[in-house]
Amino acid sequence: MSSVDLQHGLTADDLQAGRIEQGEGTTLSSLTRAFREDGFVVFPRSISGDVVNTLQQRLEDVLRGKYDRGTPPDKAPALIVDSKKDGRRKLGPLGYDGKTTKYNRVLQIINIHKCDNEFQKLATQEAIGEMVAKLAGWEHGARLAQDQVWAKTPGSPPLVFHRDSPYFMFTPDDVVTVWIALDDMDQELGPLEYVRGSHLWGDGRVGSSSSFFQSDSRNLLYSAAAREGIENAESCLEIISLGGLSAGGLSIHHGKTWHGSGRTASADRPRRGLGLHFVPAEVEFIKVDAKKSKLWRKYVAEENDDDSSTINVPDDDFPLVWAPQLER
């Protein structure tokens, strides 16, 4: 895989001014300031079109049970089974067959990097880990905690506004997410949206993964804003859309930044994205919390019953992507 280009960063002010594809080499110091004040920054056209095309095809293979690393992902939807005619695939991307009333669903894959080499190469790119660590101020480096593919067929519902941090049972409790667009994010696809500055709010409501696809996608957000003392949230929150971001562009957001996306209104185009969740290099599991979590309990050995409150994370499952000592 060719290197990731993170030379042309954009801030919330750039997006508001319509400069979604016009990064001019913003300095790291200005990006860091924007990340800490706004809760996110954006890097357009960071990954080449050829790599995006390869990832799209590899996603289709994974959805059909073809794993070139010999092991399945940690979570995946029911496998797509193609009806074949003349040896060719009949179903379209994500198994969509043109019937929006039946196949308007959202597909989630957790840790696709464990089953596919191309996704593994992207998820562990040092350039991404280094940028995450420097934006977040992690002096020891960045570790990959998890990846998630969210793939929406035409007509799929919105994704409820939420925060990422509450789902990670580590100490320190910092989380930073890199979101990579695998399709051109036109408005009709329901592009990702950020609530500017919301990472500075208190804990408020967080919801649960079961509430990700409620019909009212902003209910949790408005509830959290009210608890923060923000009146008339419907009209005064500053919501920044990534509409117009090309496939291969990416954003980096704080784990406490509220974000979500609208319905995929297109009649024939999918919306595919990859989220990479990073944590500081020195993290440990919070034992009591990790043992209760469906996501993390398998990494916490049952026989570890000493008096310690934390447990080391295994390097094989949580790879160190960048640290100062790894620089060549």
Side-chain angles (χ1 to χ4, degrees), residues 112-155:
I112 194 172
H113 77 274
K114 292 184 178 181
C115 73
D116 186 82
N117 280 308
E118 292 302 319
F119 279 97
Q120 190 270 342
K121 292 174 187 176
L122 177 58
T124 57
Q125 281 274 317
E126 285 188 21
I128 294 177
E130 181 179 7
M131 181 59 72
V132 165
K134 291 184 174 179
L135 290 175
W138 297 344
E139 62 181 22
H140 300 295
R143 186 180 296 276
L144 180 67
Q146 185 188 77
D147 72 54
Q148 293 192 52
V149 171
W150 289 100
K152 302 170 70 174
T153 57

Side-chain angles (χ1 to χ4, degrees), residues 224-290:
R227 294 181 64 167
E228 192 65 18
I230 299 173
E231 298 181 358
N232 302 316
E234 294 89 339
S235 59
C236 71
L237 291 180
E238 197 170 354
I239 297 179
I240 309 293
S241 171
L242 297 191
L245 185 69
S246 295
L250 64 82
S251 60
I252 303 178
H253 67 258
H254 192 288
K256 292 186 176 180
T257 300
W258 282 85
H259 59 285
S261 63
R263 175 178 175 270
T264 304
S266 173
D268 55 9
R269 295 172 56 209
R271 176 199 182 278
R272 294 161 287 192
L274 171 68
L276 307 175
H277 303 296
F278 290 92
V279 292
E282 70 275 19
V283 295
E284 296 178 310
F285 276 119
I286 301 173
K287 185 190 296 186
V288 65
D289 293 335

Side-chain angles (χ1 to χ4, degrees), residues 186-203:
D186 300 340
Q187 287 296 340
E188 71 170 1
L189 291 189
L192 193 63
E193 296 177 321
Y194 290 121
V195 183
R196 188 176 189 176
S198 58
H199 63 303
L200 302 175
W201 300 358
D203 288 340

